[in-house]
Amino acid sequence: MSKVAIFMGSISDEDKMRPCAEVLAAHGVPFTFTVTSAHRTPERTRRLVAELEAAGCQVFICAAGMAAHLAGAVAAATIRPVIGVPITASALGGMDALLSTVQMPPGFPVATVALDAAGARNAAWLALSILALSDAALADRLVAAREGFVASVEKAAADLESRTGAPS
């Protein structure tokens, strides 16, 4: 059973969204990774949301560029958390997708993260945080991951300082 669904508006978004799937997989969270479009396949989008929700999916991550209505379409179909990842796909450099994703009407929120791969990673981390509210083992893994981030920064600082002679 998928706990997280990753939807992309276009297969061309796969490289930018692959890091999302990698973070979820690294933490043992089952997910669905597929393409569906708010505009081209609205019936498929609604059907997928209903089927995944009925099967126990807890969080939806939606990536789209340009008009970027996918996250909003999903938020209209579920009360589960929806995380939007704006994708750079036009001459506007992703600003169009960012504004489309972040500007939702009251009652239909979409948590919006950064553009492209950085946003994909943080969407996964946010989904993990949401799931960890009811999964103590996952919460422990997230704490350990954060401790690993801290340790890597401290090691990098110590390594740099030892090479440059800067005081620690």
Side-chain angles (χ1 to χ4, degrees):
M1 163 200 59
S2 295
K3 296 228 178 208
V4 177
I6 305 168
F7 292 166
M8 301 175 295
S10 171
I11 192 64
S12 64
D13 301 334
E14 183 181 0
D15 287 344
K16 293 175 182 172
M17 289 306 295
R18 177 69 47 199
C20 183
E22 292 168 353
V23 170
L24 294 172
H27 288 86
V29 172
F31 60 91
T32 296
F33 192 21
T34 193
V35 176
T36 190
S37 170
H39 300 109
R40 294 177 297 242
T41 60
E43 295 84 13
R44 172 180 166 72
T45 301
R46 281 195 166 274
R47 179 179 49 79
L48 284 169
V49 170
E51 289 172 357
L52 287 163
E53 188 174 301
C57 185
Q58 296 294 305
V59 180
F60 292 88
I61 297 172
C62 303
M66 299 172 71
H69 289 159
L70 184 56
V74 170
T78 184
I79 61 166
R80 303 282 165 90
V82 177
I83 303 167
V85 181
I87 299 294
T88 304
S90 76
L92 298 176
M95 185 59 81
D96 49 349
L98 175 62
L99 293 174
S100 293
T101 305
V102 78
Q103 293 287 43
M104 292 299 299
F108 297 87
V110 170
T112 306
V113 293
L115 295 166
D116 300 335
R121 282 185 197 87
N122 268 344
W125 286 108
L126 181 54
L128 292 171
S129 295
I130 292 166
L131 295 173
L133 291 170
S134 60
D135 183 336
L138 179 57
D140 289 342
R141 291 195 305 273
L142 290 181
V143 168
R146 289 222 176 153
E147 289 169 352
F149 293 146
V150 170
S152 69
V153 171
E154 288 174 351
K155 181 182 181 321
D159 290 348
L160 177 63
E161 291 164 5
S162 71
R163 287 194 323 267
T164 61
S168 8

